[in-house]
Amino acid sequence: MKNEKPLVLDLIEVGANDVALVGGKCASLGELFRELNSQGVRAVDGFSTTSYAYEALLETDGLRKKLQKLLKGLDVNDLEELARVGAEARRLMLETPFPKEAEEAIIESYKRLGERIGKKTFEVAVRSSATAEDLPDASFAGQQDTILNVKGESALIEACHQCYASLWTDRAISYRTAKGFDHFDVALSIGIQPMVRSDGACSGVMFTIDTESGFRDAVVINGAWGLGEAVVQGMATPDEWIIFKPTLKLGYRPIVMRKLGVKEVKMVFADDGTGTQVRDVVDSQRNRFCLSGYEVIQLAKWACQIEEHYSKLAGKHQPMDIEWAKDGITGELFILQARPETVQSNKEENFIENYRLTGEHGAPLVTGVAVGERIGQGKVHVLLDPDKLTSFKQGEILVTTMTDPAWEPIMKRASAIVTDRGGRTCHSAIISRELGIPCIVGSGNATEILRSGTDVTVSCAEGDRGNIYYGKVDYVVEKHEITDSERPKTQVMMNVGDPDHAFAVSRLPNDGVGLARLEFIINNHIGIHPMALVNYPNLKNLKDKEEIAKRIGEEDPKEFFVRKLAEGIARIAAAFYPKPVIVRMSDFKSNEYARLIGGSQYEPEEENPMLGFRGASRYYDDRYKAGFKLECLAMCRVRDDMGLTNVKAMIPFCRTVEEGEKVIALMAEYGLKQGENDLEIYAMCELPANVVFADEFLKVFDGYSIGSNDLTQLALGLDRDSEMVAHLFDERNGAVQKMVGMAIEAAIRNGKKIGICGQAPSDYPEFAQFLVEKGINSISLNPDTVIATTHSILEREKALTKSAKK
């Protein structure tokens, strides 16, 4: 007869409803091993103690009563008293004899596991699993210990005893109190699994949601060399990949972002054969990704399967937090554990908070990986010794090498957190998101540069890079409500250039992207002139040559450009998928191109670059033709390899119809054939010639997007870079509006789409209303004006409808 109060269960016996018995982590491990192995997900076998084993320990020698007496009246904000009580609680746990019946059950299960995997003595991971873990409002991230590379029966029992004692660490006591949990309502179980030998390969964490923006169609993977604790604890700044789920499920390979981490150290098996140790990573490993593209795709597919499984169990969409490892002996990938993501998936979704710096500031003192999108201010407190946590004051900015769960009692006092090491899935990052405070990880040298007592501003509101500025810089917090209110007939699109912000702004009500600028990606994510990469290493300037070599590493220079540009485009396209994303091919002026690394060798010196070698004229010219080919190859990769066919192309500054025909023919030669796989090619309508010959241009292109900035300067004969005539620059001028109206009429006459992506509709609501009256198809706006202008457009459309009925 089966024991009604089992002390140990094999994972194959554990189900999703057994959280009270084995805790959230082990219930999840059982589901992974039993259900998902059959679907091709490589989950690791094992067994789990139950809450009955922990209860047996509490009942030994009156331990429960001793602990209750010790904890009575404890103020967890008194850090010295918390430390005293925590130390005494752990001493009581470790000095209480381990229940014999529990010890026998664990050893018997260890032997059975050995029989299943064909080994008598083997290394295991001992993983804590609390019955209150991974709840919707509390992740309990890292509150209890995980002990790695435990070998042999006696070492296993000792590790389990230590694991039980970790339920009474200072941080765990403080965390339970803060979250309102009774200490004795939380039991601890222990999961025991064979070690995956990732000490000889790599491991990490992945989420089935973007951990910063809450974008739900992404898998975010972090990885570093060695055992995964180095990533989780923030010891190493990991590599990172983002994969787009919808087209992944269709069979494409949509890695829309990859970032090489520093990977400073790795955790490996200790030299004496038990436990672990930390070693520095050699340069050859630091400078390459720890996973191949194929392995990244495989992990992402498993992540999607795991998310789908747990979403069915939950009866709702359930993003997941998953640990993975690669075995250095067999080369196989494994899933170690999966649990619900508890921060972004439970945020309110009816509004967006936008933090924005408004004050003047100098160059950043320190930069790193931004966690969250907020801004914090306060006095720096550089703290390297965890024994001195009591010196930390409310509202200070915590600056340290890295954090672990022992730091949590003071993390909640901080106005921001900055660490030298770590990535977006490390302990510091997870806890700061839960606390709602800005955090910058992986800065490299913050503890050396910043000085205690200095007022600084920590900004995570400027993209993926977090910046720390001297002093208290003014900033504002804008709150945008998101509603399912009616949409106007006129499509409201957005101008988006920065891939780092795309996931966040895509939550605003929109009909897609009317203008995605390649210049931002080339300037900020590549920084090298395309022709310098085409001709590398044959460059005149030795300094440029050295800088390019440093940036591209071992990668082919042309592939570096194509990959980086494709990933930037793809992040924007993925954020808005399946809505249209219109990508304008590069429109740098010669003086702007010259500022890129290696650019001065390939750019002419022009008196007026605004009217010179720019736009379509560059693309078929021998001086840039090979660079344009790289742009086209990047677009092909986004559409064909990643499946993001919502991407459309747009040609800027096309002076003649013949020039347009020449460019479209060249694009077809480079793989972008108009009409194939629904590819549409638009032209910017920004020259008087584009208006006067609109009927002819629209026979060549699939539609127009009005560029009101250039059209204004050319209609009025103004140089928009000249402050001398800046007061005359006004898109609402009658001549400009007449040209805009003529372009709209021509598009309607030819049955072609027409929109506008210039600045005017964002700046002037009355200009947007004028466009609605003329019957424009779409208006593309800056994200910060979308909601207000949408309301204005709706009102104008209703007024026009009402007027027409009279």
Side-chain angles (χ1 to χ4, degrees):
M1 183 173 137
K2 190 174 181 180
N3 188 350
E4 292 183 2
K5 290 189 175 184
L7 299 175
V8 177
L9 290 173
D10 289 337
L11 289 185
I12 200 165
E13 301 177 89
V14 177
N17 296 322
D18 293 325
V19 173
L21 194 61
V22 297
K25 188 177 294 181
C26 286
S28 174
L29 291 176
E31 283 291 313
L32 277 173
F33 184 69
R34 186 178 65 254
E35 302 293 342
L36 289 157
N37 260 349
S38 63
Q39 299 176 30
V41 177
R42 296 296 304 277
V44 183
D45 195 359
F47 62 93
S48 170
T49 67
T50 69
S51 55
Y52 296 125
Y54 176 69
E55 292 294 327
L57 179 60
L58 287 183
E59 296 307 320
T60 301
D61 291 351
L63 178 59
R64 184 193 299 272
K65 290 182 179 178
K66 292 176 185 176
L67 290 171
Q68 287 173 331
K69 182 179 179 181
L70 177 66
L71 290 159
K72 188 175 181 180
L74 173 64
D75 178 6
V76 295
N77 293 311
D78 184 338
L79 297 186
E80 290 183 0
E81 180 64 6
L82 174 63
R84 185 193 69 78
V85 169
E88 178 63 13
R90 294 190 295 277
R91 185 191 67 79
L92 288 170
M93 289 289 293
L94 291 171
E95 292 183 359
T96 300
F98 204 86
K100 188 158 186 64
E101 64 273 25
E103 181 176 333
E104 291 173 350
I106 290 169
I107 291 173
E108 181 60 32
S109 293
Y110 178 70
K111 290 177 179 177
R112 284 202 309 271
L113 177 59
E115 291 172 2
R116 293 200 297 273
I117 65 173
K119 294 181 180 180
K120 189 173 182 180
T121 303
F122 52 96
E123 304 90 355
V124 295
V126 176
R127 299 176 177 274
S128 60
S129 179
T131 55
E133 277 188 325
D134 307 316
L135 299 175
D137 60 347
S139 70
F140 280 76
Q143 291 302 312
Q144 289 73 230
D145 289 347
T146 290
I147 304 166
L148 302 177
N149 192 24
V150 177
K151 191 171 183 178
E153 294 174 3
S154 60
L156 174 58
I157 297 303
E158 183 182 343
C160 288
H161 211 160
Q162 291 175 10
C163 215
Y164 282 135
S166 72
L167 193 61
W168 299 98
T169 57
D170 303 354
R171 80 241 180 185
I173 295 170
S174 174
Y175 193 89
R176 287 193 297 271
T177 302
K179 293 294 182 181
F181 288 93
D182 187 293
H183 296 295
F184 297 94
D185 286 344
V186 179
L188 190 73
S189 299
I190 301 170
I192 292 100
Q193 295 174 288
M195 287 290 295
V196 175
R197 291 302 302 267
S198 58
D199 59 307
C202 58
S203 54
V205 180
M206 57 183 174
F207 288 82
T208 62
I209 189 171
D210 180 59
T211 51
E212 305 314 313
S213 66
F215 181 70
R216 296 193 171 200
D217 281 336
V219 174
V220 179
I221 301 177
N222 278 195
W225 302 112
L227 303 173
E229 284 297 295
V231 175
V232 174
Q233 293 182 20
M235 297 179 189
T237 305
D239 298 332
E240 183 173 342
W241 299 263
I242 298 178
I243 304 90
F244 183 52
K245 289 190 283 190
T247 57
L248 174 70
K249 294 175 183 178
L250 295 175
Y252 294 96
R253 296 170 55 82
I255 301 175
V256 302
M257 192 280 285
R258 73 192 82 197
K259 184 187 298 179
L260 187 68
V262 181
K263 304 183 291 293
E264 302 92 336
V265 297
K266 62 180 177 180
M267 184 180 285
V268 297
F269 283 15
D271 292 334
D272 63 5
T274 59
T276 60
Q277 64 187 37
V278 176
R279 290 181 182 164
D280 289 338
V281 175
V282 297
D283 287 343
S284 60
Q285 284 190 316
R286 286 190 181 197
N287 295 328
R288 64 185 173 91
F289 287 102
C290 65
L291 289 172
S292 67
Y294 170 81
E295 290 169 329
V296 169
I297 293 296
Q298 181 61 72
L299 285 173
K301 288 179 178 177
W302 286 352
C304 291
Q305 288 176 259
I306 292 168
E307 181 182 63
E308 288 171 3
H309 176 79
Y310 285 97
S311 293
K312 286 179 184 176
L313 290 176
K316 62 174 185 176
H317 179 235
Q318 179 57 72
M320 300 297 292
D321 169 354
I322 303 162
E323 291 186 23
W324 61 270
K326 180 180 178 180
D327 193 295
I329 298 173
T330 67
E332 296 174 288
L333 292 169
F334 290 93
I335 299 299
L336 303 182
Q337 69 176 60
R339 57 192 178 190
E341 193 277 341
T342 59
V343 179
Q344 288 290 353
S345 54
N346 292 293
K347 280 187 175 179
E348 291 183 57
E349 293 194 336
N350 61 342
F351 69 88
I352 293 176
E353 277 188 338
N354 180 38
Y355 282 68
R356 183 165 55 86
L357 291 172
T358 56
E360 294 183 1
H361 56 77
L365 302 173
V366 176
T367 66
V369 179
V371 177
E373 297 172 336
R374 298 188 175 193
I375 296 172
Q377 297 177 332
K379 291 188 182 300
V380 169
H381 189 140
V382 179
L383 189 57
L384 303 178
D385 186 351
D387 291 334
K388 297 181 179 178
L389 298 184
T390 54
S391 66
F392 191 84
K393 298 176 182 176
Q394 183 75 32
E396 290 183 323
I397 291 174
L398 174 62
V399 180
T400 188
T401 306
M402 60 185 184
T403 68
D404 59 36
W407 293 72
E408 286 171 29
I410 67 162
M411 291 173 77
K412 61 188 179 184
R413 298 180 177 184
S415 59
I417 298 169
V418 181
T419 67
D420 287 344
R421 296 180 177 178
R424 294 204 294 159
T425 55
C426 72
H427 174 267
S428 305
I430 291 171
I431 298 303
S432 66
R433 288 189 199 101
E434 192 169 308
L435 295 173
I437 58 177
C439 174
I440 294 175
V441 297
S443 67
N445 59 359
T447 55
E448 299 172 11
I449 301 296
L450 302 177
R451 294 286 177 265
S452 292
T454 305
D455 281 322
V456 297
T457 297
V458 177
S459 172
C460 294
E462 300 170 87
D464 276 0
R465 301 303 295 172
N467 296 310
I468 302 167
Y469 299 105
Y470 178 78
K472 293 188 175 182
V473 182
D474 290 341
Y475 68 94
V476 295
V477 182
E478 299 163 335
K479 200 165 183 176
H480 301 294
E481 186 177 4
I482 302 173
T483 64
D484 294 324
S485 59
E486 60 182 312
R487 300 290 297 155
K489 179 182 175 183
T490 307
Q491 290 187 326
V492 178
M493 306 176 84
M494 278 195 272
N495 301 330
V496 179
D498 185 357
D500 293 348
H501 285 132
F503 285 170
V505 299
S506 69
R507 291 179 58 199
L508 290 165
N510 71 85
D511 295 299
V513 175
L515 174 64
R517 301 179 180 91
L518 287 196
E519 300 88 82
F520 189 96
I521 301 170
I522 294 171
N523 196 50
N524 292 280
H525 293 256
I526 299 173
I528 305 169
H529 195 288
M531 294 304 295
L533 290 168
V534 167
N535 293 301
Y536 181 86
N538 301 316
L539 304 177
K540 296 176 183 177
N541 189 309
L542 182 61
K543 186 178 178 182
D544 287 346
K545 186 176 175 179
E546 290 174 349
E547 181 60 29
I548 291 172
K550 181 180 175 183
R551 292 199 180 202
I552 68 175
E554 298 177 1
E555 195 168 7
D556 176 83
K558 295 177 188 176
E559 170 60 20
F560 173 82
F561 183 91
V562 172
R563 178 182 64 80
K564 296 282 278 187
L565 184 58
E567 289 173 359
I569 296 168
R571 273 179 85 180
I572 298 173
F576 293 86
Y577 183 89
K579 298 169 185 174
V581 172
I582 301 172
V583 176
R584 187 179 70 189
M585 309 305 280
S586 67
D587 192 26
F588 279 120
K589 289 75 175 172
S590 56
N591 60 324
E592 295 167 338
Y593 255 129
R595 297 189 194 111
L596 296 172
I597 298 168
S600 58
Q601 182 176 334
Y602 297 98
E603 294 300 326
E605 289 189 14
E606 298 184 281
E607 296 250 346
N608 190 350
M610 190 71 73
L611 299 179
F613 190 41
R614 63 174 288 200
S617 301
R618 296 183 71 97
Y619 302 158
Y620 55 88
D621 190 290
D622 287 341
R623 289 171 291 180
Y624 188 75
K625 191 175 180 180
F628 182 61
K629 181 178 181 179
L630 298 184
E631 294 182 32
C632 291
L633 291 176
M635 290 282 282
C636 287
R637 185 169 298 184
V638 172
R639 289 176 51 83
D640 300 339
D641 295 355
M642 302 188 195
L644 292 161
T645 53
N646 58 323
V647 167
K648 320 294 181 184
M650 183 157 67
I651 307 303
F653 226 74
C654 186
R655 293 172 167 98
T656 69
V657 175
E658 293 74 23
E659 187 170 67
E661 292 172 335
K662 193 179 292 188
V663 169
I664 284 180
L666 191 60
M667 293 174 75
E669 182 183 328
Y670 294 153
L672 288 174
K673 189 173 182 180
Q674 190 176 29
E676 194 171 274
N677 205 9
D678 298 323
L679 174 63
E680 294 178 330
I681 302 177
Y682 298 91
M684 291 286 291
C685 179
E686 54 191 347
L687 310 172
N690 300 145
V691 177
V692 174
F693 286 102
D695 293 311
E696 289 78 6
F697 274 101
L698 289 169
K699 286 183 175 68
V700 175
F701 293 101
D702 294 300
Y704 259 169
S705 183
I706 299 167
S708 58
N709 295 342
D710 272 327
L711 189 59
T712 300
Q713 78 163 342
L714 294 170
L716 298 179
L718 301 170
D719 180 350
R720 59 188 172 101
D721 283 346
S722 170
E723 72 280 3
M724 303 297 292
V725 290
H727 63 286
L728 294 171
F729 190 95
D730 190 342
E731 297 95 326
R732 296 166 296 178
N733 180 279
V736 178
Q737 288 200 347
K738 189 168 185 178
M739 283 205 157
V740 169
M742 288 168 64
I744 295 171
E745 290 165 6
I748 294 171
R749 187 166 60 246
N750 286 275
K752 295 291 181 78
K753 297 174 186 175
I754 186 163
I756 187 168
C757 59
Q759 187 67 26
S762 294
D763 289 346
Y764 309 117
E766 66 271 28
F767 194 87
Q769 292 182 358
F770 157 74
L771 295 170
V772 171
E773 291 170 9
K774 288 295 180 181
I776 200 165
N777 299 126
S778 65
I779 298 176
S780 195
L781 304 162
N782 296 333
D784 59 346
T785 65
V786 163
I787 291 177
T789 308
T790 298
H791 289 314
S792 176
I793 291 170
L794 268 169
E795 289 174 6
R796 192 61 194 154
E797 285 183 351
K798 288 177 181 178
L800 289 171
T801 301
K802 188 176 180 180
S803 176
K805 288 180 179 179
K806 288 184 179 179

